[in-house]
């Protein structure tokens, strides 16, 4: 069932199941929503960024909320960073959640432990990173929520490691794919939306992204969220994460891998084979879409049957683009709480 939600008019009220699961009253959630901004155009930021060795990475992450609360892990996309959730985190923290927001590999203060490790951007590798992070933080299970690369990573974990995922929030729905599916040509209008993927397939594209990372990412923000009036300070706050020495290599490898132009690592081959079969997700899931998403994204009807458990789709209206958590933080936080109540 699809719900249309205007985040500029709808008040933030948790469903009864969600509030009961957390031991919270609706008034607590309403207060959290009232005190949090609906869109981010501020100088707000996170406090101290923590670091922990997890798998092949030294992961940088922001944390908010009580240490003993139920865990929500929020994952950003490309080319964004943890500040996509800067206004979501306080809502969830006030609702009692322990919120973990890591920089993905190639972003911010997340760095490889060894210079010998392949700078690999394939989807299976990113999913293993988050499992390793959960192990390092001794988190057995969490609500996973994300958009873009982050949504794909959440989808993969929910499909292949359901014992680690309590429930799922995925912007743009089911994003699991494979090199085989990526090789199929699309109609010209759809191919046009992937212009940067083909640009990155060339050496000129790699050099161009390396030279103009800041301007390139800002262009993507504008194209992906054409009605979002973010200011320079908001963009520059996130753009610092792209100064990571491996950001360009990870970005280029990801898009070349999708086209079959770059190889992955043998240790992820079994994972990628499972993903190529388009596994069903059986966990409680809320999928979301902004009504002004300018980035390539599937129609909800195309992936509805990929969710065999309780599934709700929410269309967030009001000119909301690709960076949905930052553009509509109340709606995103509400989805996390609601889906957790259904778990």
């Amino acid at each position: 069932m699809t719900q249309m939600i205007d985040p500029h008019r709808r008040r933030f009220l948790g469903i009864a199941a969600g509030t009961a699961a957390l031991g919270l009253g609706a008034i607590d959630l309403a207060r959290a929503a009232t005190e949090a901004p609906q869109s981010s155009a501020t100088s707000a930021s996170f406090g101290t960024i923590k670091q922990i060795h997890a798998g092949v990475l030294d992961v940088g992450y922001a944390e908010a909320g009580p240490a003993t609360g139920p865990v929500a892990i929020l994952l950003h996309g490309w080319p964004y960073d943890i500040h996509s959730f800067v206004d979501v985190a306080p809502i969830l923290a006030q609702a009692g959640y322990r919120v973990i927001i890591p920089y993905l590999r190639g972003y911010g203060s997340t760095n490889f432990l060894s210079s010998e490790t392949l700078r690999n951007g394939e989807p299976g590798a990113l999913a293993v990173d988050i499992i390793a992070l959960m192990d390092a933080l001794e988190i057995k299970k969490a609500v996973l929520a994300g958009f873009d690369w982050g949504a794909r990573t959440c989808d993969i974990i929910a499909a292949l490691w359901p014992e680690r995922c309590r429930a799922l929030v995925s912007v743009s729905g089911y994003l699991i794919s494979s090199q085989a599916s990526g090789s199929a040509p699309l109609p010209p209008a759809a191919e046009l939306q992937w212009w940067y993927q083909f640009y990155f397939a060339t050496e000129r594209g790699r050099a161009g992204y390396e030279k103009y990372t800041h301007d390139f990412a800002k262009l993507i923000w504008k194209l992906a969220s054409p009605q979002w009036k973010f200011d320079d300070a908001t963009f520059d706050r996130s753009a610092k994460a792209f100064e990571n020495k491996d950001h360009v290599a990870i970005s280029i490898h990801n898009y070349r891998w999708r086209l079959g132009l770059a190889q992955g690592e043998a240790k992820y081959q079994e994972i990628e084979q499972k993903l190529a079969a388009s596994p069903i997700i059986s966990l409680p899931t809320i999928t979301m879409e902004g009504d002004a998403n300018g980035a390539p994204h599937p129609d909800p009807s195309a992936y509805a049957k990929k969710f065999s458990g309780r599934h709700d789709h929410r269309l967030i209206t009001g000119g909301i683009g690709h960076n949905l958590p930052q553009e509509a933080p109340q709606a995103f936080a509400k989805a996390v709480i609601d889906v957790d109540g259904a778990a």
Side-chain angles (χ1 to χ4, degrees), residues 83-97:
H83 289 94
S84 290
F85 305 102
V86 72
D87 295 322
V88 173
I91 301 175
L92 294 179
Q94 188 165 347
Y97 283 88

Side-chain angles (χ1 to χ4, degrees), residues 43-56:
S43 59
S45 190
F46 292 105
T48 302
I49 299 300
K50 299 181 178 182
Q51 297 290 141
I52 191 168
H53 286 191
V56 300

Side-chain angles (χ1 to χ4, degrees), residues 32-234:
T34 301
E35 295 174 356
Q38 182 55 48
S39 61
S40 178
T42 71
S43 59
S45 190
F46 292 105
T48 302
I49 299 300
K50 299 181 178 182
Q51 297 290 141
I52 191 168
H53 286 191
V56 300
L57 301 173
D58 178 29
V59 179
Y61 66 100
E63 182 170 359
T68 58
V71 180
I73 297 177
L74 313 180
L75 303 181
H76 68 83
W78 174 90
Y80 303 92
D81 84 322
I82 63 174
H83 289 94
S84 290
F85 305 102
V86 72
D87 295 322
V88 173
I91 301 175
L92 294 179
Q94 188 165 347
Y97 283 88
R98 178 188 179 191
V99 186
I100 305 292
I101 312 171
Y103 284 110
L104 301 183
R105 55 170 59 193
Y107 292 82
S109 61
T110 291
N111 291 296
F112 288 88
L113 295 173
S114 171
S115 61
E116 302 300 317
T117 304
L118 177 67
R119 273 35 181 180
N120 182 352
E122 69 178 294
L126 272 70
V128 169
D129 288 347
I130 301 307
I131 294 295
L133 175 63
M134 294 176 70
D135 289 343
L137 293 174
E138 299 183 347
I139 296 170
K140 294 182 179 179
K141 208 169 200 178
V143 178
L144 298 179
F147 73 105
D148 196 84
W149 287 22
R152 180 175 295 105
T153 303
C154 291
D155 289 349
I156 291 171
I157 295 172
L160 301 188
W161 291 276
E163 71 279 4
R164 306 302 297 272
C165 182
R166 178 174 170 83
L168 172 67
V169 174
S170 181
V171 176
S172 297
Y174 188 91
L175 297 179
I176 294 174
S177 60
S178 66
Q179 287 181 319
S181 63
S183 67
L186 300 172
E191 295 283 26
L192 179 62
Q193 290 186 302
W194 287 109
W195 65 271
Y196 56 89
Q197 179 173 246
F198 302 117
Y199 181 62
F200 287 166
T202 68
E203 179 54 27
R204 176 183 173 128
R206 186 209 61 77
Y209 189 55
E210 183 175 52
K211 183 176 181 178
Y212 300 107
T213 306
H214 182 279
D215 293 346
F216 197 103
K218 195 169 188 177
L219 174 62
I220 294 294
W221 277 37
K222 291 179 179 179
L223 294 175
S225 298
Q227 296 185 41
W228 182 30
K229 306 303 180 184
F230 60 88
D231 57 23
D232 288 342
T234 297

